[in-house]
Amino acid sequence: MITLTINGLEATVDEGTTVLEAARFLGLPIPTLCHMEGLSPYGACRLCVVEIGEGPKAKIVSSCTYPAQDGLRVRTSSARVVRARKMVLELLLASCPQSKTIQDLASFHNVRQQRFRQEHDDCILCGLCVRMCEEQMMAKAIGFRGRGQTRSIGTPFDVRSEACRLCGGCMYVCPACQLRCTYTEPDKAVCGGCANLSPPCVDIESFDDMMCYMSPCVACETAAH
Amino acid sequence: MQKLSTIEEFQDLQGRLLSERDPSVPTIVIPAGTCGQASGANDLIRVAKRELLARGLTDKNNVRLRVTGCHGFCEAEPSVLVEPDGTFYPKVNAQKMARIVQAVAEQKTLDDLLYIDPATGERVKRQSDVPFFKTQVRTILGRNEKVDPIRIYNYLESGGYSAFVGALTQGEPRWAIEQVKESGLRGRGGAGFPAGLKWELLAAQRNGHGKSLVCNADEGDPGAYMDRSVLEGNPHSILEGMLIGGYATGANEGVIYVRAEYPLAIKHLVIALRQCHELGLLGENILGTGFSFDISIVKGAGAFVCGEETALIRSIEGKMGEPRQRPPFPVQKGIEGKPTAINNVETWANIPVIIAEGAETFSKVGTKGNTGTKIFSLVGKIRNTGLVEVPMGITINDIVTKIGGGPAGRAKIKAVQTGGPSGGCIPVKRFDLPIDYDSLAEAGSIMGSGGMIVADEHTCMVDVSKYFMGFLTDESCGKCFTCRKGIQRMHEILEDVCEGRGTLDQLDLLEELATVVKDATMCGLGQTASNPVLSTLRYFRDEYVEHIVNQRCPAGVCKALVSYSINDECTGCMLCTKSCPENAISGVKKERHSIDTGKCIRCGACVTVCEFEAIDVA
Ligand SMILES: Cc1cc2nc3c(=O)[nH]c(=O)nc-3n(C[C@H](O)[C@H](O)[C@H](O)COP(=O)(O)O)c2cc1C
Ligand code: FES
């Protein structure tokens, strides 16, 4: 067993637990984007950062990948952490403003400005889909390629992989997915409820045999009433 | 080559080679590393061989020829060094080479070919008196002169592998670790982690599947080539260092991770490895001591990020070069889960020196806490470019003025950039700073692997940080969002500033962003990526402001913010009119010309050709 201190509270956890899990065990909220239970920690979005150590040796690490260690002192919302987190959200908003997940996070953390040139990317390369496909669907149909600004997710040579079973798992986990939200035609969409003012899936008949991944989205809730 | 199976056999062989050596035989030494070959050293070798044959000087006891790796003075290459008196001939061509061979045969010196000291105008005969070499302490580079990298006997003759055998005869692996610890050697790859401590940590690891050592020869910093020169010029010193490390830490395999862009280094390493196998210095049961160790080469595809330890390990494993969270550190979990110690090329090259000469002798060079020498590649707007090896703690000023010989042109030097893309700029007012890991970090830069780029008044510091951000937008692995997107956004803002669209608010945003990127990124690449931006903001903020407020680039580099005009110095020589690709310069002979700023594309061709400094860029 390992004992560490988070925001002054002591937590005793099993060996191999991450700082994020330890914090959640104590009920301390840490925002995440690229982390998902059941998938291996990846540490790409940098939203879950926390501060560890003391004095000049204090540093910022991603809690989802950092292993809990005996005697570790963690602060989950110091000024330094908040500054980093807000900048990450501002950068996310600047790249991918249409994602509801990102909008909600930004609003929750009181990010009120976006000072960079506005872009409209579809993908933030959080890698959830890649890990979902590999670790839960055992398909390894998609992966990363390239580095730096040309890094992207896809299949070799952009040809659909034979390993892909069209399970939709990648779309299900995507926090910025466009496939789900921009199409208004039922035969192309899975659901569009969250983004459209007049949600298409209210017309339940035409979406009948399609899987809807949004655990009750605005549309469903409205429809139910 | 006969395989040696005991330590005595090794000592016999080395003793025999040493006794056969006659240092008084005149020897023509031609440095032919990649840099030497590029400037024509291969022709010199050909001419020298032909001349020696033509004059019948084939007896080894008359005149010898030795082809070596780079000696460091790249500015003067192709050059020739004549032993034993150390005569130095810079910028030799085929005709001069023929004359040199003759002079050597007749034991004469060719005064008209000697190096001219630009400060005094006098000719200097001996290499050691040339100002570029005088202030250096060439522990590692000096050995490049002594050995032909593809001949193991040459290395043995200069005392090679005796440090390894010395460590073996101690019978106690810990002894070598103690020596390295005592020497105070810090890793030369950038972070300056004590090498002895890393070895101790590795030695303490227990693992049934073996442990590994890695030589990090990825060297991705633009403008840095120290490691290449050591690998090319003295590959056996790296192998010897790794053998000592293997024996000391109980590792059973070594990997040299070298970038594929270094074909000559790879060739020399492959030859060196083959020779070691043939001689029985690598493989099973080395020299009958029961110690087994083998070394392999892995070629990297040239991604800067693969120099980072954890990315390097993944790359060796055949995966995508992407860093991962530490802990666990490589000494706990490295290649295929085996404990692994990674050291830089120069660190490994220092090991045999420490073991052979003793930790105490080694630690006398340099300062307390920063012992030994460090090789820098001195490039940029400086007269003497090349590789310089200096004791730690020497000031930047000494390197720039004494060794570098001051500015290359008339413009004054204003800063040096150390540490490559992860480093920062140090302004001239801080040139009294001693060069060691701690002082450079305090000044906002890092030692890095040893790149040192000199900037003068014609260098725009905003442009410099833009260059490095551009480099890193391509070279970040792209995994961490803050590193990938943060660097892209910094580059975007710097582009705005250079093109006259910047605002003062953006400058604050840039600083804020740079601080967060430094803070919140996982690996060393992102954590240091902001250094060029933060250090130029710290020392050269006025240049940024000048770009934004007055729409002016003081160095005359940022094309969108400069205009070209011709001043009174113009003699009307017409050279610039002919060089202008846009026909933007008009004028008649012997009268002052003028530039049509509407047509001018600010390519700078006129500035390059003008011999009278008649073109103003402002
Ligand atoms: C982005 C990045 C690039 C690096 N590139 C190199 C390199 O090219 N060569 C090198 O020896 N070390 C490089 N390093 C440092 C290594 O990670 C590591 O610290 C070093 O090889 C350890 O050896 P040392 O203890 O002998 O210095 C790099 C580090 C980072 C973060
Ligand atoms: S949730 Fe930890 S980095 Fe994304």
Side-chain angles (χ1 to χ4, degrees), chain B residues 62-80:
Chain B
N62 276 333
V63 179
R64 287 184 189 180
L65 174 68
R66 183 162 70 232
V67 179
T68 70
C70 173
H71 298 181
F73 199 0
C74 305
E75 185 74 22
E77 279 185 339
S79 60
V80 171

Side-chain angles (χ1 to χ4, degrees), chain A residues 180-219:
Chain A
R180 206 164 55 200
C181 301
T182 49
Y183 295 109
T184 46
E185 298 134 79
D187 53 332
K188 288 196 186 136
V190 178
C191 167
C194 57
N196 294 307
L197 283 176
S198 54
C201 60
V202 174
D203 180 11
I204 292 178
E205 295 297 297
S206 59
F207 279 85
D208 203 23
D209 53 355
M210 299 198 72
M211 290 184 274
C212 179
Y213 296 121
M214 303 300 283
S215 46
C217 80
V218 198

Side-chain angles (χ1 to χ4, degrees), chain A residues 31-35 43-48 62-64:
Chain A
T32 58
L33 197 52
C34 71
H35 176 269
C45 74
R46 316 311 289 170
L47 204 57
C48 68
S62 51
S63 61
C64 67

Side-chain angles (χ1 to χ4, degrees), chain B residues 489-543:
Chain B
R489 294 299 190 176
M490 286 197 272
H491 186 241
E492 184 179 293
I493 295 176
L494 290 167
E495 249 175 7
D496 280 353
V497 173
C498 287
E499 282 164 26
R501 293 188 301 267
T503 62
L504 288 176
D505 285 342
Q506 266 184 317
L507 216 53
D508 295 333
L509 179 61
L510 179 66
E511 197 159 9
E512 198 181 323
L513 176 61
T515 320
V516 169
V517 170
K518 192 181 177 106
D519 247 10
T521 307
M522 173 152 57
C523 87
L525 190 148
Q527 285 165 4
T528 53
S530 307
N531 284 349
V533 172
L534 287 173
S535 71
T536 48
L537 275 173
R538 174 166 164 191
Y539 296 118
F540 297 98
R541 201 181 183 97
D542 50 336
E543 278 192 32

Side-chain angles (χ1 to χ4, degrees), chain B residues 187-189 198 216 219-220 304 307-309 342-344 347 524-525:
Chain B
R188 300 295 194 238
K198 198 182 276 180
N216 185 347
E219 197 165 50
F304 175 64
E308 200 276 342
E309 297 185 322
I342 301 172
N343 279 119
N344 169 256
T347 317
L525 190 148

Side-chain angles (χ1 to χ4, degrees), chain B residues 496-501 546-548 550-554 556-563 602 618:
Chain B
D496 280 353
V497 173
C498 287
E499 282 164 26
R501 293 188 301 267
E546 189 72 15
H547 279 76
I548 294 170
N550 296 334
Q551 296 280 306
R552 217 176 67 82
C553 174
V557 172
C558 298
K559 284 191 180 169
L561 301 179
V562 298
S563 67
R602 306 174 188 100

